Amino acid sequence: MKKLSLVLGTLLLGFSLGGCQKPPQVIPPPNVHIGAQSWVVDIVGTPEERSRGLMGRESLDPSEGMVFVFEAPGKHGFWMKNTLVPLDIIWISENFEVVAIRHNTPPCEKEKSEKDLCIMYIPQTEALYALEIKAKTFNGSVGDPVEFSWIKDQ
């Protein structure tokens, strides 16, 4: 019983001392906004993260996505190896503008070991970013402005 009293007393002391401190700052998750649409996103920037992308995800909520950040603008291609859900891919310029769209990109139907048989989807225009979201959910157009919540000077 003494141990329980000691533990409870310690917890109460911790709560009372903790009440004098500022509450921790809540940082909102990163968002991408294009027109009236918005997605909570994961941001990937290393070659390993970009290579893995959304592989293995069995579902994707219409309000979720993934932003790929590249080192420099280019015609960055995507393939759907080990991607289990169809996606819309939106390429975005360094000026935060939609420059290319690939709607309803299907998963690669080939065997996992047959890397070269998956189709590579390459935009006609250079982009610095790409956004992958659930297929058939993007209703924007080339030229639409894009806002990244984590970048202040756009």
Side-chain angles (χ1 to χ4, degrees), residues 11-154:
L11 287 173
L12 289 174
L13 178 62
F15 285 127
S16 66
L17 292 176
C20 297
Q21 298 174 355
K22 288 183 180 179
Q25 183 180 3
V26 177
I27 299 172
N31 280 270
V32 173
H33 305 279
I34 304 174
Q37 293 186 280
S38 181
W39 300 270
V40 174
V41 294
D42 292 326
I43 304 168
V44 295
T46 68
E48 296 79 20
E49 291 172 328
R50 289 192 305 260
S51 178
R52 190 172 42 257
L54 291 170
M55 285 182 179
R57 293 274 299 260
E58 293 182 5
S59 65
L60 188 62
D61 190 86
S63 65
E64 297 175 329
M66 181 171 281
V67 171
F68 296 75
V69 180
F70 297 96
E71 288 82 8
K75 295 182 180 180
H76 302 288
F78 285 77
W79 63 329
M80 301 292 285
K81 179 183 177 193
N82 296 334
T83 304
L84 307 176
V85 295
L87 300 170
D88 287 346
I89 306 171
I90 300 100
W91 285 270
I92 302 163
S93 73
E94 61 189 323
N95 297 320
F96 308 103
E97 183 178 289
V98 174
V99 294
I101 305 164
R102 169 74 180 145
H103 290 284
N104 200 22
T105 310
C108 181
E109 297 290 328
K110 303 299 177 189
E111 292 295 320
K112 294 178 184 177
S113 63
E114 297 183 63
K115 172 183 174 183
D116 297 330
L117 297 179
C118 292
I119 297 170
M120 179 71 72
Y121 299 96
I122 302 171
Q124 301 255 335
T125 307
E126 289 191 350
L128 183 59
Y129 310 96
L131 170 66
E132 288 186 338
I133 57 174
K134 185 174 183 167
K136 301 180 182 179
T137 59
F138 185 64
N139 61 18
S141 314
V142 169
D144 284 351
V146 179
E147 180 184 335
F148 294 149
S149 67
W150 65 95
I151 300 177
K152 298 299 175 203
D153 297 325
Q154 295 182 44

